[in-house]
Amino acid sequence: NQLRKQSYSLKVAAKYGLALSYFEHGKYLQAKNILESLKSADKNNLFYIDALTDVYLSLKEYDQALSMLADLNLLMPNNQVISLNYGNALLSAERYEQASSVLQDFLLVNPGNFIAYDILTTVYRKQGKMGLMHITKAEVLALLGAYKKAVDELQTSYNFVEGQPLLQKRIKARVLQLQEQENKLKRL
């Protein structure tokens, strides 16, 4: 309505809002056209990139999403918007090894990121890496403060990583850390 009446403060903001509205109503092609136009005028705008990734994934245009995000990941490594969208797009395109690599790199710099752990949990589940899936699920639960459930997930993961003594030691150490955090919480 603002665009039709030309009663906007910022035309690009009104167009962006219209694109989001189209997306929310399943009109992905209309959203795509607007967002691509906006992005062409402002190539590194994270709002446009975030929304455009969702549109590409909804349209199953994985190659377009991956091409856009791969270039931006080189330009802005470990940027939250880029890394999470890139990891999610790689997951959607069933490129699991690359998705886990992008997300693991991001988590080295941003160890408390709930969304990254959540996406990585899905990646590991899709790969059938159940030990790692339970470990990352434990981190999601720990970030939510559900320490007992996180410890349960880690204990479950222990059974899946048999023959990997280093990983088993890391799991035991993390269990102790989470139990200590739970005890601190109880003392409050």
Side-chain angles (χ1 to χ4, degrees):
N1 193 29
Q2 287 179 358
L3 286 168
R4 197 172 27 252
K5 293 180 180 179
Q6 296 186 358
S7 64
Y8 41 76
S9 297
L10 287 169
K11 187 175 185 177
V12 293
K15 284 184 170 185
Y16 176 69
L18 180 60
L20 294 180
S21 180
Y22 279 143
F23 177 78
E24 288 298 318
H25 289 92
K27 297 180 179 181
Y28 305 129
L29 291 175
Q30 291 95 322
K32 176 184 166 183
N33 291 335
I34 294 170
L35 289 167
E36 285 181 338
S37 170
L38 290 170
K39 186 179 173 300
S40 71
D42 190 359
K43 294 191 183 319
N44 298 328
N45 185 306
L46 296 175
F47 291 100
Y48 304 156
I49 292 161
D50 187 38
L52 192 53
T53 300
D54 290 340
V55 169
Y56 285 148
L57 297 183
S58 295
L59 291 169
K60 300 190 182 337
E61 294 179 356
Y62 305 125
D63 289 341
Q64 284 190 265
L66 294 175
S67 175
M68 173 182 71
L69 294 165
D71 292 343
L72 290 164
N73 193 49
L74 292 173
L75 182 66
M76 297 179 258
N78 294 315
N79 173 284
Q80 180 171 313
V81 172
I82 302 301
S83 295
L84 296 179
N85 275 294
Y86 193 27
N88 191 47
L90 289 163
L91 168 63
S92 297
E94 299 180 359
R95 292 170 61 176
Y96 304 128
E97 284 300 320
Q98 199 175 353
S100 69
S101 178
V102 166
L103 293 165
Q104 287 169 6
D105 288 350
F106 176 75
L107 284 166
L108 286 174
V109 179
N110 303 280
N113 191 287
F114 175 87
I115 296 170
Y117 275 117
D118 194 44
I119 297 169
L120 191 54
T121 299
T122 304
V123 169
Y124 288 143
R125 185 172 31 79
K126 295 275 189 181
Q127 289 179 296
K129 295 181 177 180
M130 300 313 287
L132 294 173
M133 188 272 299
H134 286 289
I135 290 169
T136 55
K137 188 173 181 184
E139 293 304 322
V140 169
L141 292 166
L143 288 168
L144 294 172
Y147 299 118
K148 281 187 181 195
K149 289 181 180 180
V151 167
D152 289 344
E153 285 295 327
L154 287 172
Q155 289 171 337
T156 300
S157 75
Y158 196 84
N159 299 326
F160 287 100
V161 297
E162 206 170 297
Q164 299 177 54
L166 184 59
L167 191 52
Q168 286 178 322
K169 286 180 184 179
R170 282 184 47 220
I171 291 168
K172 284 182 181 179
R174 188 63 176 137
V175 166
L176 293 175
Q177 287 175 337
L178 293 175
Q179 287 171 336
E180 178 59 31
Q181 290 213 257
E182 184 179 18
N183 289 334
K184 282 181 185 176
L185 192 61
K186 285 179 182 177
R187 288 193 295 263
L188 290 178

